[in-house]
Amino acid sequence: MISATEEARFPWDGAMTLGLGTLRLAPETFWRMTLPELAAAARAVRPGVRAAMRRDELASMMARFPDGKDGDGPPA
């Protein structure tokens, strides 16, 4: 089970790899960026990649399409 602290942890290793490695930003530039700016830069590098589904989106989808209903899908 993942603790709330681990779940809330920001993936700094991935962000630094993207900013400093892939985008080749100077450290000063990287650390001055806001997270929305970094996300926009990431989308520019990999435009076809969607962000992970948010928890509320997953809950909504699970409510609309429950598993095992009317024999449609794996057993519950």
Side-chain angles (χ1 to χ4, degrees), residues 12-69:
W12 283 111
D13 286 344
M16 290 188 296
T17 298
L18 171 71
L20 302 172
T22 304
L23 298 174
R24 299 185 180 273
L25 297 171
E28 305 82 40
T29 303
F30 172 78
W31 289 111
R32 288 176 190 247
M33 291 180 87
T34 63
L35 292 178
E37 290 170 337
L38 184 59
R43 286 190 305 273
V45 174
R46 298 180 68 195
V49 176
R50 267 195 72 203
M53 185 180 294
R54 294 187 327 257
R55 185 174 296 214
D56 62 322
E57 293 172 320
L58 176 61
S60 173
M61 187 173 75
M62 290 173 65
R64 287 188 326 229
F65 307 105
D67 287 343
K69 186 176 182 182

